[in-house]
Amino acid sequence: MEKLIHANMHYLQQASRLLDSMTDELFTQPAPSFYNSSVGGHLRHCLDHYDSFLNGITNGKIDYDARMRLPELESKTTNALAKTQEVSQALSNLLSSEPPVGLLVKMDCGLANIEWQPSTSGRELQFLVSHTVHHFAMIGGICNEIGVPLEPDFGVAPSTLRHRETAESA
């Protein structure tokens, strides 16, 4: 589970570096090619999922639909940066504790009355990596559209990075 925690922290560190380089205006600027979404909206959405995970592991029930959706996290880079660092620290704290193995998870999949489903801490940490990479890829597209430079590997899936390394060394 240590590797999964570090993988999530890696993406949160990418977000922190991006936030350090952005103004609030760029953070909230809608990108027409991305359904008028913004960097702030996508990052806030990711942070909401991390909060759901961290709040849920304490009682063994993660409800990804009961998110806070705090507008101040998508409108001010300083707020988003503070929350990103708080989430990263909370994940780091999991390294010295023993999260529950068995969890129940709930997420609306477009069906009425979704029931709690069994899962594990490891599986949910894998979900968070995948979910974050997906949204960071959109953030990358938005940044490209609004002229914000990114580090080369921002939001690139771990499997894609490994594939690139293998292809370059061949």
Side-chain angles (χ1 to χ4, degrees):
M1 185 136 52
E2 181 179 336
K3 288 181 181 181
L4 292 170
I5 291 170
H6 283 291
N8 279 282
M9 290 171 61
H10 165 77
Y11 289 105
L12 292 169
Q13 290 162 357
Q14 282 188 339
S16 292
R17 289 190 297 274
L18 175 61
L19 289 165
D20 279 336
S21 71
M22 289 194 90
T23 64
D24 290 343
E25 181 181 35
L26 289 171
F27 188 60
T28 59
Q29 184 174 332
S33 297
F34 289 85
Y35 304 98
N36 284 321
S37 62
S38 66
V39 171
H42 283 282
L43 183 56
R44 190 261 319 139
H45 177 78
C46 291
L47 293 171
D48 282 350
H49 278 72
Y50 281 105
D51 260 351
S52 293
F53 170 78
L54 291 164
N55 293 332
I57 60 170
T58 59
N59 67 5
K61 292 177 97 172
I62 300 170
D63 186 348
Y64 289 113
D65 297 328
R67 298 189 308 273
M68 298 291 285
R69 296 176 170 93
L70 299 172
E72 60 267 22
L73 292 181
E74 63 184 271
S75 60
K76 297 274 187 203
T77 56
T78 53
N79 295 339
L81 182 58
K83 185 63 175 180
T84 300
Q85 292 169 342
E86 174 189 313
V87 168
S88 188
Q89 182 59 54
L91 287 172
S92 179
N93 293 344
L94 291 178
L95 292 168
S96 60
S97 67
E98 197 61 42
V101 175
L103 297 168
L104 293 174
V105 175
K106 189 165 98 171
M107 183 186 312
D108 185 348
C109 297
L111 305 170
N113 301 320
I114 294 293
E115 296 182 18
W116 292 95
Q117 299 297 315
S119 188
T120 65
S121 295
R123 172 63 191 102
E124 295 312 308
L125 286 164
Q126 286 177 322
F127 162 73
L128 288 169
V129 166
S130 177
H131 181 259
T132 301
V133 166
H134 164 74
H135 282 277
F136 278 23
M138 288 188 275
I139 287 172
I142 293 168
C143 285
N144 186 50
E145 186 169 312
I146 65 175
V148 174
L150 291 172
E151 56 191 70
D153 295 338
F154 184 89
V156 178
S159 60
T160 302
L161 293 172
R162 274 190 301 284
H163 173 75
R164 287 178 183 170
E165 287 174 12
T166 303
E168 288 174 6
S169 65

